[in-house]
Amino acid sequence: MAQTVPQEAIVWDTRALNRLTDSVRRLESRIARLNGEQVVSLTQPDPEFVALQGRVASMDRRLGDVEATLRRVNGDLERVGFQLDESQRDNAALRNRVTDAESRVEDLETAAKEAAEMTGPIVANSPTGSAAGDLAAAQRLLSSDPARGERALEVVIVTWPDAAEARVANYRLGDIFFEREDTASAISAYAAALRGWPTAPWAGEATVKLATALEADAKGDDACRALYEFDGRYAASASPALKTRVAETKTRLGCRR
């Protein structure tokens, strides 16, 4: 009988186990290629790999939580942005209303100030310090602000009652009143300008205007008397046109001379 030779026992150290593991993995790979499908691993998973998979899964969950939080934050930001836009629109509308209200208040204050200035008592006041300067300023003001210009003429009369400029101011007021069809005020202003029958170049025409205002006020006799004064005082130096106007007015009024 043949003698059986005993085989050497395999020592399963780390190197041998690694070689065995590599062999098993190559066997798995071959079987997978032969069968065309995935083969369940015949080896136990690496603990470190398992731990890594756990950490990756935990990170995936945390990443999902972060993404959900970001979506909520983005939604909140969109709502806040929309509310901010609405607030800005409301603020702009409020600013416009406040500006409009301030403008209206300023207009009312200006109107009240002007009304107080125009309706208050007329007192002596000389903006330029001279009758001639005050009259020139009043006449310039007539072209830009008739109401203030008229008021300035009245101030000239009060401030310089005995000056020649006061007569001119009355003459200009007579024209203003007559254009306004306020014949009574026009007659008073013309009469004040002609008090004492001045010899100024404008006096003759002012006398004719006085007669015209008296005629418009149904005071024909007084108008004729004014024209008689013109004949005696101003006719010699009057223009032909003014003399013709006097003659026509006399005829219309039926003046006797």
Side-chain angles (χ1 to χ4, degrees), residues 138-151:
Q139 289 177 329
R140 286 193 301 269
L141 193 57
L142 279 172
S143 60
S144 59
D145 191 339
R148 288 179 177 272
E150 181 179 333
R151 181 82 170 185

Side-chain angles (χ1 to χ4, degrees), residues 37 85 89 126 129 149 220 249:
E37 59 184 13
D85 290 340
R89 287 192 294 269
S126 178
T249 305

